[in-house]
Structure formats: C-alpha cells, structure tokens
Amino acid sequence: MDLSADHIKSLHKYELRVLLSIEYLMGRYSWVPEEELVRNSRLSANEVHFRLSKLMRKGMVKYSNVPYPGYCLIFNGYDTLAITHLVKKGIITALGDCIGEGKESRVYEALGTGPVILKLHRIGQRSFQTVRRGRSYLPENQHCPWIFASHYSAEQEYLALNALFNHVKVPTPLFMNRNVIAMAYIPGDRLADCTLDDPGKIFDEVIVQVRAAFRLGYIHGDLSEYNVLYDGEGIWIIDWPQWVSPGHENAAEILDHDLETITKFFHRRYRISSDMNQVRSLVTGC
C-alpha cells in the first residue's frame, strides 16, 4: 500500500499514540504484545485494539501470531511518524506525489515555504542483514529492528549533506526525522535520462565535484548516472547514504568503482575516453 496523505491527515491522536508506543517498544520486542501497548500508551485495552485495527487497515502496522501474538511498525507507519513530526516543526505543510523510487528509498514532492523534496529511506527486511554487514554505521551486537536501519541510513546521508552542501553541488538539507530527510527541491533530470549538449564539460564538472567531496573527507560510494542530476546548467550529486571516508580500509577500491562507473557511462553514451589513472589523480591529488 502506498503512503497516503489522506491517511496521515486523518490520523487520530490515539492512533498516533499507539504508533509511538509500538516504535518505543520495538526497541525491546520484535513483535510488540498488545498488553504492553495498553500499558505503555495508557489507553484502555478496547481503545488500543480498536486503534490497532484502524492502523492495520491504513497499512501502518502489521500483526503476527508467530512466534507469539504481537504488532510491529511497517514503513508506512514509520514514515507517518516522521512526516507528522516534519509538519509539526513547520518544515512541510503538504505531501505531494511519489516522484521516484530506488532500491532503498522513495522520493516525494512536498510543500513548505517553497517546494521540498522528501527522501524516505526504506532498507528492506530481506536486505537488512546484507546491509548490516556492509555498512559500519549500523549497530552491532544489539537488538536493531530491521525497519530502524532506515533511520541510520538517513542519518548517514544527512551527515554528509550537512558537511558538503556549502562546498559541493549536493541538495541542501533542511531537516531530518527518523528515516526521512527534507531537502530543497532541485529541478533536473538524471544523467541517465537526458541528452547533454556538452558532455565533456559535464564530465569534467562531475570530477571536480567528486574531488571537492574527497578533499572534505567523503567518497560517494555509489556514484553513477542515476544519482547525478543535470538542471540545464550544471550538475548535482545526490544519494549519499553509502559514503565512506578516504581513511576507510576499502576507500581506494570504492573510489575506483565510483570513477569507473561514471567514466564508463560517458564513454558508452558520448564516446568520451578517459585515462583512469589520470582521473584518479585529479580526484586524490596523488
């Protein structure tokens, strides 16, 4: 079920209280028992049961009786808590349409004082263990419900955007809550979806921006034609949750993969040839 602005707007205060209780108790339970929700929410058993049934119909909560009866948040519920907080803080006033979906995120239009982009991090349950092994920002040796991995992913990206946005062409971060980052709107298309009049100039600009990020201590980690936007004048590099520092044990390999991916795209699409050693040297200064 898609995230619904109408479902969020119509959320009853008791439904919000139950969502917050489930979120809190998922720090201790994989599936939160109903009696624990009654105790934590301070609502009657009948009220909690009624609100849970409505939340399940809205696609915000899931029930299971294995290994024991209980409830957990699913992404629409977790997204709802984040978006409700953004509205309360005055960051957004309206939620628009979903305008993009990737392997681990959804992107929505929204309105604040102007156009806003919301990136909803959504690390899937099936990929959680793979992601957990591959990304050092996720906690080890402690209970971490898979849905909360999306919070750590958003936090990682928000950290990079805040460090980079005055120095590198990245989206301007506005606010973050849970798994959702609010950013200033960037008009433009992915390099994969547009035709460049001067591809050589744009390739050079990509490398300049990668170099600027590297000098600030950030390697993108997933650079490709799908996360570079072109607005008709210049480029913007998006999607930073997988960044690593130049001091990371696999930094050289990760940087090479980024540079190889983007140079292969420009060669395949525009027949622009590049010497990898020279490109790497431009970025690292070595």
Side-chain angles (χ1 to χ4, degrees), residues 79-122:
D79 297 339
T80 294
L81 287 175
I83 290 169
T84 300
H85 188 81
L86 293 177
V87 172
K88 183 178 179 181
K89 286 290 185 180
I91 305 300
I92 64 170
T93 56
L95 178 68
D97 295 330
C98 179
I99 59 170
E101 185 168 0
K103 294 178 292 185
E104 297 178 0
S105 66
R106 283 187 180 179
V107 178
Y108 283 79
E109 293 179 314
L111 284 178
T113 55
V116 175
I117 290 295
L118 299 183
K119 182 174 180 181
L120 283 55
H121 286 244
R122 288 185 164 204

Side-chain angles (χ1 to χ4, degrees), residues 248-262:
H248 188 278
E249 60 182 353
N250 298 320
E253 178 184 346
I254 293 169
L255 177 61
D256 278 355
H257 184 268
D258 277 359
L259 297 176
E260 286 172 3
T261 301
I262 203 68

Side-chain angles (χ1 to χ4, degrees), residues 28-89:
R28 303 205 318 253
Y29 296 95
S30 296
W31 295 91
V32 180
E34 192 165 331
E35 59 269 23
E36 288 295 321
L37 286 174
V38 171
R39 186 177 298 112
N40 185 266
S41 67
R42 299 182 181 179
L43 298 171
S44 70
N46 285 341
E47 188 69 52
V48 167
H49 190 78
F50 174 67
R51 297 301 166 186
L52 283 168
S53 66
K54 295 200 72 173
L55 289 168
M56 286 190 289
R57 285 198 297 273
K58 292 179 178 180
M60 296 182 182
V61 170
K62 183 178 180 180
Y63 171 80
S64 176
N65 58 7
V66 178
Y68 55 85
Y71 299 84
C72 75
L73 290 180
I74 52 181
F75 274 124
N76 280 356
Y78 198 45
D79 297 339
T80 294
L81 287 175
I83 290 169
T84 300
H85 188 81
L86 293 177
V87 172
K88 183 178 179 181
K89 286 290 185 180

Side-chain angles (χ1 to χ4, degrees), residues 129-174:
Q129 292 304 328
T130 301
V131 170
R132 188 169 192 165
R133 287 192 298 270
R135 301 185 197 175
S136 58
Y137 57 80
L138 294 177
E140 295 183 5
N141 303 320
Q142 68 184 73
H143 177 56
C144 176
W146 64 270
I147 199 170
F148 294 161
S150 297
H151 162 75
Y152 292 107
S153 176
E155 190 173 58
Q156 180 81 345
E157 181 165 24
Y158 191 64
L159 175 66
L161 294 178
N162 274 287
L164 295 173
F165 82 96
N166 278 325
H167 312 281
V168 181
K169 296 291 289 296
V170 301
T172 301
L174 302 176

Side-chain angles (χ1 to χ4, degrees), residues 225-236:
E225 64 271 24
Y226 296 100
N227 43 42
V228 179
L229 301 182
Y230 177 63
D231 65 4
E233 296 182 1
I235 62 100
W236 302 80

Side-chain angles (χ1 to χ4, degrees), residues 181-194:
I181 301 175
M183 298 173 276
Y185 177 78
I186 297 174
D189 298 308
R190 303 180 302 178
L191 292 184
D193 301 327
C194 60

